[in-house]
């Protein structure tokens, strides 16, 4: 079998991305059961809605009308996390909700990396943007104070960068390639 360069080896940028994602995960999960202290009203509202989605078979809202109106994506994700936690012997509650937010936060870092990589692939992007740009963008978001903070709270705020970066990445990728996949 021929030795093909690049096959079987992990690139330095892949290892750096993995390190960034692990650091992001660590910052978001460290002492998640006690930091931030307390359980805020917004978290409690979404937790109760998630519990209702999980336990009431006929309750499948497309918009949460309480708390001045809230999109339900986070509540559905929390309901799934509640279910997983219960199957693994844990309990539904603040920690499960905050783990959901932490996962969304790490996914947001990965989505920003994908977007930054796609920006480099656009015509003229390689000339304007350094090869380190995607890693720098991901690392900056991974340690950004507000992003870490909201990745540790069980509310939907942390979904905004994730959805924005993922949607923009898909748009630019589709524009560049002429297809989604």
């Amino acid at each position: 079998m021929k030795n093909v360069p690049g096959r079987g080896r992990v690139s330095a940028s892949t290892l750096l991305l993995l390190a960034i994602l692990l650091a992001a995960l660590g910052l978001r999960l460290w002492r998640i059961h006690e930091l931030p202290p307390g359980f805020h009203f917004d978290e409690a509202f979404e937790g109760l809605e998630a519990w209702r989605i999980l336990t009431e078979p006929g309750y499948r809202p497309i918009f949460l009308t309480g708390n001045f109106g809230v999109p339900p994506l986070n509540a559905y994700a929390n309901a799934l996390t509640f279910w997983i936690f219960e199957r693994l012997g844990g309990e539904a509650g603040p920690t499960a909700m905050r783990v959901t937010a932490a996962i969304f936060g790490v996914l947001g870092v990965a989505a920003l990396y994908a977007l930054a990589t796609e920006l480099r692939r656009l015509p003229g992007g390689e000339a304007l943007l350094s090869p380190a740009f995607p890693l720098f963008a991901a690392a900056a978001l991974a340690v950004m104070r507000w992003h870490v903070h909201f990745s540790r709270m069980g509310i939907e705020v942390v979904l905004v960068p994730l959805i924005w970066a993922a949607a923009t990445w898909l748009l630019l990728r589709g524009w560049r390639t002429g297809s989604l996949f």
Side-chain angles (χ1 to χ4, degrees):
M1 185 170 201
K2 289 184 175 181
N3 185 10
V4 180
R7 291 273 185 184
R9 293 185 183 160
V10 179
S11 70
S13 63
T14 302
L15 288 175
L16 283 171
L17 175 61
L18 183 60
I20 290 166
L21 292 174
L22 286 173
L25 186 65
L27 286 170
R28 284 153 180 81
L29 290 179
W30 179 74
R31 295 174 59 186
I32 194 75
H33 62 285
E34 57 189 29
L35 289 175
F39 196 50
H40 306 285
F41 177 82
D42 292 340
E43 288 178 294
F45 169 77
E46 293 203 26
L48 290 172
E49 290 293 318
W51 183 252
R52 191 170 170 201
I53 289 167
L54 182 63
T55 59
E56 291 183 26
Y59 186 64
R60 298 293 179 263
I62 58 170
F63 192 75
L64 304 176
T65 56
N67 200 24
F68 303 105
V70 180
L73 176 61
N74 192 51
Y76 279 101
N78 284 324
L80 176 63
T81 307
F82 286 174
W83 182 83
I84 292 169
F85 264 57
E86 286 182 338
R87 296 301 173 270
L88 296 175
E91 61 182 29
T95 301
M97 292 178 64
R98 290 175 176 179
V99 167
T100 305
I103 292 167
F104 284 147
V106 174
L107 290 174
V109 172
L112 184 62
Y113 175 82
L115 172 58
T117 301
E118 190 60 42
L119 286 171
R120 287 198 75 244
R121 291 180 179 152
L122 290 175
E126 288 185 2
L128 295 172
L129 301 170
S130 160
F133 174 67
L135 291 170
F136 177 75
L141 188 60
V143 299
M144 195 171 289
R145 183 174 180 247
W146 75 265
H147 197 264
V148 171
H149 174 74
F150 285 114
S151 294
R152 297 177 60 87
M153 295 184 72
I155 56 177
E156 75 281 345
V157 176
V158 76
L159 283 167
V160 174
L162 168 59
I163 292 171
W164 173 83
T168 307
W169 167 64
L170 288 171
L171 174 72
L172 293 178
R173 187 180 192 300
W175 182 32
R176 180 180 58 84
T177 64
S179 70
L180 188 57
F181 299 103

